[in-house]
Amino acid sequence: MTAEYQVHGAVAVITLNNPPVNGMGLATRTAAVHGIQRALADETVKAIVITGAGKAFSGGADIKEFNTPQALAEPSLHTFIATAESSTKPVVAAIHTVCMGGGLELSLGCHYRVAMPGAQIALPEVKLGLLPGAGGTQRLPRVLGLEPALNMIVSGNPVLSEKLPALFDEIFAADADLLTSAVAFAEKIADARPLPKVRDRQVDYPNYEAFLQFSRNTVKAMAGPFPAPLECVETVAASVTMKFEDGLKFERDRFLHLIQTTESKALRHAFFAERVASKVPDVPADTPVRPIKSAAIIGAGTMGGGIAMNFLNAGIPVKLLETKQEALDKGIATIRKNYENTLKKGKLTQEKLEQRMGLLSSTLSYDEIGQADIVVEAVFEEIGVKEAVFRKLDEVMKPGAILATNTSTLDVDQIASFTTRPQDVIGTHFFSPANVMKLLEIVRGKATAKDVLATALALSKKLKKTGVVSGVCDGFIGNRMIEQYSRQAGFLLEEGALPEQIDKAAEKFGFAMGPFRMGDLAGNDIGWAIRKRRYVEKPEISYSRTADLLCEMGRYGQKTGAGWYDYKAGDRKAYPNEQVNAMIVQHSADLGITRRKISDQEIVERLVYALVNEGALILEEGIALRASDIDMVYLTGYGFPLYRGGPMFYADTVGLPNVLAAIRKYAQGHQGQAWQPAPLLQKLATEGGSFNR
């Protein structure tokens, strides 16, 4: 049973038991409603306590039932709450650890609420592009007051139970036994009548019209393209301006409207995509993992230092290795400076800073890192350099140590072949800045052992990263796709656009930054090095030479103060440069191309559909396990707009036949050979399918 029934003296106890967070799925709702009915039918029972087993009271709706008929089947959450609220015997919600979403809405339908301190209380629906749909927007303001309730609902952030005294009839001592205390409380109020109902209270807020208008203005400015935050304000407003039943109906209407919006679908897609990314079909969930109690990092540059910080933040000791003392000192100073900047912002204490720095040690000798459980190589992106490092690691590392490479494009199988233990080699592609970006591409080589992969996935969670598994290919998932995006950006320059127009179109679509600002941030010389390698290895692939010409001008990006744009010291703003624009126009003339006016729509379609088409090939080849993994890579590593759900989800939204038609149209234009529609895209478009089924 997913809800258990017991009687303690004159008190019936209904315990929600649907791990991990007692999600209120159909079976749980049914069993709990039966429990209330059973208690009402038993003359010896005077009061009812509802609580949750394990590590939660309830996290709300059961996410396994999202988008299924069970989610709305009777008894619905509304019916469950109404059953508790209309009970003729007092119902007490006994709350601990986690009480969120529908769990909090259920407790608000109970006559009394008691809690342990430290419980996380939240209505987080806005984070899925929704609003609380089971009375939360109507009941919470009646208990907490208009302003604190609105803040909780619009932010979706959790608040500790002891910070919400108005919500609870009693908060027990930290060392109390919740069940014993809740039963004692229920016995105490068993005969009190009338039974208090939240719905009968009024929201009292002087001059509420002015407050609500101020809230609308503030939330509208912050919500950007997401409709849910503003809808939250409107439904909370109904708790003041409408009768309770009318407010409940209004809330339901707005909830059903939001659930159909693309933005909510995109957020829910991202929510599930993140959870499923760690599941690998042939690596069972119970695969044993190797203990990671210490780490070594090869290279103290920007990447190595950022990677080291991830381990230090997770409490894992790190030994940083460099070839020269000067490079080591510089790397360690940068790590300290990064922590000091966080300290200045109030996001880190001095004690934590020293604690983390205390976990960091350094060495110039490979012999001193041999006992680390994992070693991450973060040296220059050149196969000869990687070979020298891995041959040395193979000599010094203890048996069972994981040998990880932070390569962004190179062949992990070739790197593994430099060792006598390819089963222990894996790609861990961190994204820059590594201490900030959430994405970790975990590259599985053909020999990578299953327990090594399972360990890397578990480690990504410990490092607070979103780990996405990729197969071995040039550029893996993210960089292989971004190459096609960048190629189109270059061709657009040749045909008539300038960097500023392309970047603005991409940013208006929702990208954090356009392709040229992104190139300047990453360093244009990195792309140049990759293209030089491509010209030798894959001469059949065409590129615009504008980026090479830019690098020949010595304009490598922000680090040199000059790239596609100019940059001023201490100012990250991009200032267009006339010489660069003149070079682009001259290059078109040299190619014999008559420049034309290009619409923003064409720019966005060519950039985004280039990602989609390559993503379809990656799926077909099995490099990515699922379309949602590709979306996760782009949402967490490349600044793809969250409200569009990732490139593959966006393509599904537009309709695959429309995407295919656009690709075929662009295949007729300049550099049309860059557009070969992926067979999977053609197949799905013809069959009326989608990438994210």
Side-chain angles (χ1 to χ4, degrees), residues 288-294 316 371-374 398 400-402 451 455 459 462:
V289 298
R290 300 185 188 184
I292 303 291
K293 294 188 179 140
S294 63
I316 299 170
Q371 291 308 302
D373 297 316
I374 185 169
K398 69 180 182 184
I402 293 175
D451 67 331
T455 305
L459 180 65
K462 196 167 182 184

Side-chain angles (χ1 to χ4, degrees), residues 358-665:
L359 293 170
L360 180 63
S361 59
S362 62
T363 182
L364 297 170
S365 167
Y366 274 90
D367 296 333
E368 289 187 24
I369 64 166
Q371 291 308 302
D373 297 316
I374 185 169
V375 55
V376 183
E377 160 278 307
V379 300
F380 188 67
E381 186 74 344
E382 202 277 314
I383 198 73
V385 181
K386 306 276 190 196
E387 177 173 2
V389 169
F390 272 82
R391 290 200 186 281
K392 192 69 188 165
L393 292 177
D394 194 33
E395 275 175 40
V396 302
M397 298 309 294
K398 69 180 182 184
I402 293 175
L403 314 185
T405 172
N406 180 55
T407 179
S408 54
T409 52
L410 299 176
D411 185 338
V412 173
D413 290 331
Q414 190 182 357
I415 291 169
S417 76
F418 303 141
T419 74
T420 57
R421 39 172 137 180
Q423 73 281 1
D424 294 336
V425 177
I426 194 163
T428 51
H429 178 208
F430 288 83
F431 281 67
S432 187
N435 51 310
V436 176
M437 298 295 281
K438 270 198 78 178
L439 177 62
L440 177 62
E441 263 186 329
I442 298 170
V443 187
R444 180 185 194 176
K446 62 172 185 270
T448 303
K450 289 184 182 181
D451 67 331
V452 170
L453 183 58
T455 305
L457 281 161
L459 180 65
S460 71
K461 286 190 175 137
K462 196 167 182 184
L463 301 183
K464 295 193 164 63
K465 300 286 182 195
T466 302
V468 178
V469 177
S470 169
V472 174
C473 67
D474 199 331
F476 316 128
I477 297 170
N479 282 345
R480 176 172 157 182
M481 287 167 65
I482 209 76
E483 184 170 18
Q484 300 309 321
Y485 170 93
S486 300
R487 282 178 78 205
Q488 286 304 316
F491 298 149
L492 285 160
L493 289 181
E494 293 179 348
E495 291 170 60
L498 290 172
E500 194 181 13
Q501 186 200 349
I502 295 170
D503 281 351
K504 279 188 171 163
E507 287 156 22
K508 194 173 167 195
F509 174 78
F511 275 101
M513 56 176 67
F516 298 105
R517 281 180 61 213
M518 185 178 75
D520 278 356
L521 180 65
N524 295 312
D525 50 329
I526 294 169
W528 195 23
I530 292 169
R531 285 191 303 281
K532 284 175 180 171
R533 183 160 63 83
R534 290 279 192 278
Y535 296 149
V536 176
E537 292 172 7
K538 296 184 178 175
E540 72 282 2
I541 300 181
S542 57
Y543 296 88
S544 165
R545 298 307 285 251
T546 45
D548 296 353
L549 294 169
L550 184 82
C551 290
E552 285 166 19
M553 293 163 77
R555 300 181 68 95
Y556 294 163
Q558 283 191 19
K559 59 188 170 189
T560 56
W564 293 102
Y565 302 96
D566 290 332
Y567 299 91
K568 296 173 185 173
D571 176 5
R572 288 190 169 243
K573 193 170 175 231
Y575 296 90
N577 176 276
E578 284 181 21
Q579 276 179 294
V580 171
N581 290 349
M583 174 272 285
I584 292 165
V585 171
Q586 182 58 49
H587 183 61
S588 299
D590 292 345
L591 291 174
I593 295 171
T594 305
R595 292 176 68 80
R596 63 184 174 88
K597 188 169 172 27
I598 299 176
S599 70
D600 285 1
Q601 183 187 344
E602 179 179 340
I603 290 169
V604 167
E605 284 186 352
R606 284 173 62 176
L607 295 177
V608 176
Y609 296 168
L611 293 176
V612 171
N613 196 47
E614 195 66 23
L617 290 170
I618 283 170
L619 263 183
E620 208 163 0
E621 292 166 22
I623 299 297
L625 290 168
R626 47 188 86 84
S628 63
D629 285 358
I630 296 173
D631 288 332
M632 235 34 243
V633 165
Y634 268 79
L635 292 173
T636 56
Y638 290 86
F640 198 93
L642 180 57
Y643 64 94
R644 298 195 190 274
M648 311 314 277
F649 181 85
Y650 176 70
D652 289 342
T653 307
V654 171
L656 300 191
N658 297 329
V659 174
L660 182 60
I663 286 175
R664 285 181 170 150
K665 178 179 77 180

Side-chain angles (χ1 to χ4, degrees), residues 66-84:
F66 266 41
N67 305 327
T68 70
Q70 285 98 314
L72 299 172
E74 289 293 349
S76 66
L77 183 53
H78 278 271
T79 302
F80 180 12
I81 293 169
T83 305

Side-chain angles (χ1 to χ4, degrees), residues 26 32 68 104 119 209 313 329 370 382 384 394 397 539:
L26 179 59
T68 70
L104 180 52
E209 293 102 330
N313 296 349
D329 294 344
E382 202 277 314
D394 194 33
M397 298 309 294

Side-chain angles (χ1 to χ4, degrees), residues 216-228:
R216 285 184 188 101
N217 297 341
T218 309
V219 169
K220 190 173 184 181
M222 288 170 58
F226 294 101

